Amino acid sequence: MTKELKALISLHDVMPETFSEVKSVIKHLKELRIPPIILLVVPGRNWEASQLEQLGEWSCEGYTLAAHGWFHHVKHFGGLYHRLHAALISRRVAEHLSLNRSEEIELIKRSVGWFEMQGFPRPNLYVPPAWALGKIRRTDLALLPVTYVEGLRGIFRSESGELQPLPLVGYEVDTLFRQLFVRQWNQIQTRRALRAGVPLRISLHPHDFSLRLANDLKQLLSASYLTPLGIEATLGDA
């Protein structure tokens, strides 16, 4: 018998250009009876009033609005590592990798401040695009106006810089090579979570239900042993 699989579910890249797909994903999750998840919102785009109103409605329904970069696009690469990261993982979204530490900190503060300017609750979570934290140090996290920062390996508590390692799965796959690699990765990460009894981070993207691993994703989200959690419960802070 499969053990309970606790999960922290987030939907990345919530922005005007993906808004119709985001609404479809949320509708699908409601049909699967998944409770409200974390929505990773990209502030620096050209938001329409109706879209901002919908974000507010989701927030009132219990969806957590988190800050996700500023523009979610790189105009120039920050060096060889950034180019390799883009080729293998992030393409042109890891905007932190083109910035220095002070620029990254200012970007995060601007990103978080946008929510309050719109009348939304201040986010308690910041997630850099592609989880690429760049040059920020753990000691810098205490300077940020959020409680948690998510990276590739897990989630940091900003005040202490403590990292809670958590397995991660994703489904944004549009090539055969990525399909083979990511499916194997997801299986390993899910087994890690079950074996260790720790929550699994499930990372959704707006087009996942129409991409190559859609069936894998649907099977996981509809599993009777899946127990979605909020971030505080995930980290034992509830």
Side-chain angles (χ1 to χ4, degrees):
M1 181 177 180
T2 303
K3 296 191 297 184
E4 176 189 32
L5 179 61
K6 298 176 182 178
L8 178 68
I9 306 174
S10 59
L11 176 56
H12 290 230
D13 307 351
V14 177
M15 51 189 174
E17 295 84 347
T18 64
F19 213 72
S20 60
E21 290 83 6
V22 167
K23 289 195 286 188
S24 295
V25 170
I26 290 177
K27 181 176 182 292
H28 199 106
L29 294 176
K30 288 180 177 179
E31 291 171 350
L32 292 173
R33 298 189 177 181
I34 300 293
I37 65 170
I38 299 172
L39 305 179
L40 304 188
V41 180
V42 181
R45 297 284 186 157
N46 295 319
W47 288 91
E48 298 177 3
S50 60
Q51 295 168 338
L52 295 174
E53 183 178 354
Q54 178 64 79
L55 287 180
E57 291 178 7
W58 284 329
S59 178
C60 291
E61 290 177 21
Y63 288 84
T64 299
L65 304 185
H68 189 44
W70 178 252
F71 196 65
H72 204 273
H73 181 75
V74 174
K75 294 182 179 179
H76 65 274
F77 292 109
L80 178 59
Y81 173 78
H82 192 179
R83 290 184 179 277
L84 290 172
H85 194 280
L88 297 173
I89 301 174
S90 61
R91 298 180 178 172
R92 297 191 72 98
V93 306
E95 58 188 324
H96 276 245
L97 298 184
S98 62
L99 306 174
N100 61 39
R101 284 173 57 217
S102 61
E103 290 171 336
E104 288 185 75
I105 292 170
E106 288 307 309
L107 182 149
I108 294 171
K109 289 180 177 179
R110 183 167 72 250
S111 179
V112 172
W114 177 88
F115 290 80
E116 293 182 300
M117 290 177 61
Q118 309 306 321
F120 302 143
R122 173 189 279 194
N124 68 351
L125 170 67
Y126 179 80
V127 184
W131 299 280
L133 282 167
K135 299 177 178 66
I136 286 183
R137 303 169 183 170
R138 289 199 188 193
T139 52
D140 295 327
L141 300 180
L143 303 174
L144 304 179
V146 291
T147 306
Y148 308 105
V149 175
E150 184 176 352
L152 189 60
R153 293 171 53 210
I155 299 176
F156 294 91
R157 291 176 174 85
S158 300
E159 185 175 5
S160 65
E162 176 189 359
L163 172 66
Q164 174 65 56
L166 291 171
L168 171 68
V169 297
Y171 297 86
E172 191 180 28
V173 171
D174 56 1
T175 67
L176 178 59
F177 172 77
R178 285 178 179 247
Q179 177 181 349
L180 297 174
F181 174 79
V182 173
R183 174 173 282 151
Q184 181 72 14
W185 168 272
N186 288 350
Q187 291 172 351
I188 292 170
Q189 296 294 298
T190 302
R191 286 198 294 268
R192 274 186 59 203
L194 285 168
R195 186 165 53 246
V198 298
L200 176 70
R201 288 180 291 156
I202 300 177
S203 166
L204 307 180
H205 287 79
H207 298 93
D208 283 357
F209 284 103
S210 60
L211 296 177
R212 287 175 173 264
L213 291 180
N215 287 336
D216 293 24
L217 174 58
K218 292 173 185 176
Q219 183 176 6
L220 177 62
L221 293 177
S222 61
S224 60
Y225 54 83
L226 184 71
T227 303
L229 302 174
I231 189 167
E232 290 85 1
T234 295
L235 298 179
D237 294 343

